[in-house]
Amino acid sequence: MKNEIQHIHDATFKEVFSQKRIAKDFIENNIPKEALDIMDMESLELQKDTFINKELKENFSDLVYKVKINNKDAYISFLLEHKSYKDKMAIFQLNKYILESWMTIIQKENKEELPLIIPMIIYHGKEKWNLETDLRNMIPGFYQLPEYFKLRVPVFKYDFFNIGEYKEDDFEKLTRLTSMMLKVFKYAFEKNLEVVLKNFLLALEEVKVEETMETIIYYGEICLKYIELTNSDIKEEDIKNQIKNLDGKGAITMSILQKREEIG
């Protein structure tokens, strides 16, 4: 059962972040301006290969994008943390992920230069993540050390995004489509189905301001399927009842349900 749930999260994570427009929106709203200024976001390209090895598969799934940074090839890795609890070994596993990625690139492509690899960790588990994201902060007095020692410590820092703790302000800086897709992750472990459905239905209605009906139905179906798979007790009747409580704001969801019936 645990592996089945993990597969559901993985599949939806990959379906969402493999959409270039969503990945681009997320990156542009979470990377500092001085970094974005030297990134060619139009060059962003999803890669077929993954940097995850068999050992790390137990802890992470990844999606890798190639992008030009200062006119050089670089990579941005979206990694989904599998565990629903905090793991103090995560920072070391991610450090290993970067090192092994470099080794793979050098061995396969016979290159001598190392590309930048930027890890972006996506987490939406139940437990609060209060682990260190910068190895330097784990070494007492690191910043007071002479430069000689600082240069010989294999430092590492990663960007961490706890979608489960996102507030409305965090969603508002994104496009409505990206916001809707991330909200299904935020409420993935919510026990109150009314809360889950209400947030999804309202987010879906907001998307119509920016998107065509065809796009809305496509992405809405992805979200709805994920909600149903992560909430085995939910029934189509529950969805229809929630729509009735939204003063006519569930028309798009009804279109998705009707389309399902037509397909059979």
Side-chain angles (χ1 to χ4, degrees):
M1 181 65 178
K2 180 182 176 182
N3 288 338
E4 184 181 339
I5 294 295
Q6 180 177 305
H7 174 71
I8 292 168
H9 293 309
D10 281 358
T12 307
F13 160 74
K14 287 179 177 176
E15 192 158 11
V16 170
F17 280 93
S18 64
Q19 306 294 326
K20 179 179 173 179
R21 60 184 299 189
I22 291 176
K24 185 172 181 286
D25 184 30
F26 191 86
I27 293 167
E28 289 178 338
N29 282 284
N30 286 292
I31 286 184
K33 184 180 183 303
E34 62 267 26
L36 284 173
D37 284 345
I38 61 169
M39 294 174 68
D40 178 8
M41 290 304 293
E42 295 308 312
S43 71
L44 195 68
E45 180 183 356
L46 181 65
Q47 302 298 287
K48 293 179 181 178
D49 294 332
T50 173
F51 291 150
I52 289 284
N53 61 24
K54 289 182 181 179
E55 182 184 349
L56 289 176
K57 267 186 179 178
E58 186 178 331
N59 302 310
F60 300 99
S61 290
D62 74 335
L63 276 173
V64 181
Y65 280 88
K66 182 185 283 187
V67 66
K68 292 287 185 183
I69 297 180
N70 264 347
N71 295 316
K72 297 282 188 180
D73 285 345
Y75 297 91
I76 295 178
S77 288
F78 288 103
L79 295 109
L80 178 69
E81 164 63 60
H82 285 163
K83 296 175 181 176
S84 59
Y85 59 90
K86 59 186 180 183
D87 183 353
K88 63 183 180 182
M89 297 304 291
I91 193 167
F92 303 105
Q93 292 161 351
L94 290 165
N95 200 357
K96 188 175 181 180
Y97 171 87
I98 300 295
L99 293 173
E100 291 193 352
S101 300
W102 278 336
M103 289 172 63
T104 299
I105 289 168
I106 288 175
Q107 289 169 350
K108 283 188 176 181
E109 302 179 20
N110 197 28
K111 289 185 176 180
E112 294 185 3
E113 293 184 344
L114 295 176
L116 279 173
I117 299 176
I118 312 300
M120 304 183 82
I121 315 306
I122 309 296
Y123 175 76
H124 66 126
K126 300 176 185 177
E127 192 168 345
K128 185 177 179 64
W129 190 281
N130 54 4
L131 298 176
E132 190 54 68
T133 60
D134 190 334
L135 274 175
R136 290 170 293 189
N137 296 334
M138 298 177 72
I139 301 172
F142 175 84
Y143 295 99
Q144 285 73 49
L145 290 172
E147 200 67 16
Y148 174 87
F149 292 117
K150 288 182 182 178
L151 292 174
R152 284 156 178 79
V153 175
V155 296
F156 174 74
K157 176 179 172 60
Y158 63 91
D159 290 322
F160 177 78
F161 305 94
N162 188 343
I163 305 301
E165 292 187 352
Y166 264 35
K167 306 297 183 188
E168 201 56 41
D169 286 349
D170 298 309
F171 290 116
E172 284 178 358
K173 66 184 181 181
L174 302 163
T175 65
R176 287 176 170 86
L177 179 63
T178 303
S179 175
M180 177 184 74
M181 304 309 284
L182 292 183
K183 280 183 178 180
V184 296
F185 287 118
K186 174 178 173 64
Y187 294 103
F189 299 101
E190 173 61 56
K191 297 296 184 184
N192 188 331
L193 292 182
E194 185 176 334
V195 171
V196 175
L197 290 173
K198 182 177 180 180
N199 277 281
F200 164 64
L201 293 171
L202 291 175
L204 187 61
E205 288 294 317
E206 289 176 2
V207 176
K208 69 182 181 183
V209 177
E210 299 175 346
E211 305 293 340
T212 64
M213 184 59 70
E214 183 181 1
T215 299
I216 296 169
I217 290 176
Y218 173 78
Y219 286 101
E221 175 63 30
I222 294 173
C223 293
L224 193 55
K225 189 182 297 182
Y226 179 67
I227 291 170
E228 290 170 330
L229 288 172
T230 52
N231 295 273
S232 56
D233 295 334
I234 201 168
K235 297 178 177 61
E236 189 172 301
E237 197 60 34
D238 296 321
I239 300 171
K240 290 179 177 178
N241 287 336
Q242 187 60 43
I243 289 172
K244 291 176 183 176
N245 297 330
L246 293 178
D247 298 324
K249 290 185 178 179
I252 297 172
T253 309
M254 286 301 295
S255 297
I256 294 172
L257 297 177
Q258 287 166 5
K259 188 174 181 181
R260 282 182 175 184
E261 292 176 3
E262 290 170 7
I263 295 172

